[in-house]
Amino acid sequence: MEQRGKNSEQLVQNLADALTEGEMEETTPDEAAVRRLSPRYEVRVQMERDPIVEETLLFRRMAKEVDNRYDKYMSRTQPSPDPDHEADG
């Protein structure tokens, strides 16, 4: 029973040491809460070319797609489909 008490005291001491070790942050809880909030604004960059379209066209020049997975996306982004690629309805 005495051994269990020593182990418990040692665990408490280890926990206290771990919690008090190192440098304490000098910020208040309010500042820490504000830092954890997500930003209010989102930055978006408008690109002249769509990288998905560019890579899809490049891959279609090299090989034939098995499942035509990008056909719907390509039809929304380009006015006319790539003449080298034939969709299998």
Side-chain angles (χ1 to χ4, degrees), residues 20 41 47 77-78:
T20 58
Y41 303 103
M47 300 178 67
T77 58
Q78 291 184 321

Side-chain angles (χ1 to χ4, degrees), residues 5-20:
K6 288 182 181 180
N7 284 342
S8 179
E9 288 176 19
Q10 183 63 34
L11 287 173
V12 170
Q13 183 61 41
N14 289 346
L15 179 61
D17 291 343
L19 291 174
T20 58

Side-chain angles (χ1 to χ4, degrees), residues 39-69:
R40 294 182 188 168
Y41 303 103
E42 190 174 292
V43 176
R44 293 184 180 212
V45 177
Q46 185 171 356
M47 300 178 67
E48 291 181 19
R49 292 191 241 163
D50 185 349
I52 297 172
V53 171
E54 296 294 317
E55 285 196 14
T56 301
L57 291 174
L58 179 67
F59 288 129
R60 285 181 174 178
R61 279 189 228 122
M62 292 187 284
K64 181 174 171 50
E65 287 177 297
V66 176
D67 58 1
N68 300 325
R69 103 178 31 170

